[in-house]
Amino acid sequence: MTLFSYLNRACNGFPSSSKLLVVFSLSSGGLVAYSESQSSSAPKNTELEKLPKKKKVVVLGTGWASISFLKDLDISSYDVQVVSPRNYFAFTPLLPSVTCGTVEARSIVEPIRNIIKKKKGEIQFWEAECTKIDAANKKVSCRSTIEANMGKKEFSIDYDYLVIATGAEVNTFNTPGVKEHCHFLKEVEDAQKIRTSVIDCFENAILPGLTEEERRTNLHFVIVGGGPTGVEFAAELHDFVHEDLAKLYPMVEDKVRITIIQSGDHILNTYDSRISSFAETKFARDGIDVNTGCRVISVTDKEVNMEVKATSEKVSIPHGMVLWSTGVATRPVVKDFMDQIGQEKRRVLATDEWLRVKGCDDVYAIGDCATLVQRKVMSDIAAIFKAADKDNSGTLIVEEFQDIIDDILIRYPQVNLHLQSQHLSSVTDLLKDPQGNARKEVDIEDFKLALCQVDSQMKSLPATAQVAAQQGTYLSSCFNKRELANFQPEGPLRFKSEGRHEFIPFRYKHLGSFAPLGGEQAAAELPGDWVSVGRSTQWLWYSVYASKQVSWRTRVLVVFDWTRRYIFGRDSSRI
């Protein structure tokens, strides 16, 4: 102890240097070195205190939009918290395949914690449902989805930036009986319930003592909605029945009936007309009934009541199971938020071209819960003319217009769409007179007349996984460049004020759409007005959907399920 005391007193004379204590242990012959640097620790703590506090980003949802946002976000710059009632991401385009056992449910889901753990920084995840968004106080109220001894815990989270990506719910259009008697296909749990219900219909149909009419009713599957989801489910169900269930229930194979009810004139009416025609022809050949121009007015436990729009005739058809797939509606929490910020008259949350919620600078909305409202050219026509007329002459020459053409095309994408629809090679062609002759200069009235038809090309973005994923990726890039954009803005000119916008506006790039039609055939609408149908397109569908999986685990599982189905068929167990 004397040696320890001596060395300690000796080191006290050097407070600014590290203290080194070397102790020779005679018993073990070892060497122990101990150093401390108390004097240098204080400055480090001071430096940590001076570091800027990370901005808190709260993300609501674990769907396509939020996952794309989280995967590309620079976590080192933000404190990120994710709130969702589901602790997984689901590859929703394959939900129709889950309903019939072509793909297993667990093969298309990836736990959210597997995704966020791959980031360099820490992302916190709370399995809870957002019950209220308080934009005034920048706070969200949440309620746990887990039932504990003391009930579902409620808590609130503050935010600096809020990203709303809650998705949407099924739109029933307030049709009587839909919620009580119809299946939906938005979640993995929905697909599992449908799979069980299909098997139940067959098991009920073969019970002794039933009449032929009762057996036919049990095996009548009605699909309300002729969009991609409804059509894909009909195709999957047809294959399931004729490739697998017909072998297990041969006594009722001829009693199965599949009916699609579509209010429009064609199924797949958002696709190219060639795809709609091909799908209707194939379904007619397969024995799938397609009733177009019909509107469902009510659903009971035994019948679907509809009205033929052309004749106003009321028709009732019996059913064993009904799938309702007619579009999406806003979730209650988003609807309440819209009421707070003055968007109560809208059907869906409105954002600007940078995906900011209109009326809330620090709130963003991506995916099915929101729609991008493109600004009209005619709303800014006077400001555009003034920005181009640099000499304030009151007229605009072609050279002056050319100086801001790039900014106009970036800020207003409908201008480029108008040029394509009119087969014009350049924006300056808009300044020609009605006879097509070039003009040296135009005044404000001529300028308005030249651009008055441009806004007719504005279109709403579809509520698809492709749009949501691109929005998430775009928004993360904006967050990653936020600090740099303050000094070096990359966006177009601000026509109504000084300087430039921080970021280039979001621009959706359509990469194509698929429609599996059963029988190893699919249809595809690809960029460049290219339409492909047939078996080769089905293999293209396989490759694209496998490559789009969020992890190698799900990619392998999905390919394995397809292979298993090809070799052994689909599983018909009621689980």
Side-chain angles (χ1 to χ4, degrees), residues 203-227:
E203 293 293 347
N204 287 330
I206 63 172
L207 291 176
L210 296 180
T211 65
E212 290 299 301
E213 185 61 29
E214 289 174 329
R215 298 186 197 278
R216 292 182 186 278
T217 297
N218 278 323
L219 295 177
H220 187 191
F221 301 94
V222 179
I223 300 155
V224 182

Side-chain angles (χ1 to χ4, degrees), residues 65 80 112 121 128 139 143 169 217 226 237 247 305-306 338 362 377 397 478 491 493 498 516 526:
V80 183
I112 184 64
K139 181 184 298 184
R143 181 174 58 243
E169 62 183 17
T217 297
L237 181 59
K247 302 173 184 177
N305 302 307
M306 62 183 182
M338 292 168 63
D362 297 327
V377 172
I397 62 175
C478 292
L493 285 172
E498 299 295 327
L526 302 175

Side-chain angles (χ1 to χ4, degrees), residues 156-212:
S156 62
I157 304 175
D158 298 327
Y159 66 82
D160 294 306
Y161 301 110
L162 177 64
V163 179
I164 305 175
T166 55
E169 62 183 17
V170 176
N171 194 348
T172 65
F173 299 98
N174 296 318
T175 306
V178 171
K179 290 184 178 180
E180 296 81 6
H181 307 296
C182 293
H183 287 276
F184 306 125
L185 191 50
K186 286 287 292 179
E187 312 289 349
V188 174
E189 293 82 2
D190 296 335
Q192 292 173 316
K193 290 178 182 177
I194 292 173
R195 180 175 177 179
T196 300
S197 183
V198 170
I199 301 301
D200 287 348
C201 288
F202 275 85
E203 293 293 347
N204 287 330
I206 63 172
L207 291 176
L210 296 180
T211 65
E212 290 299 301

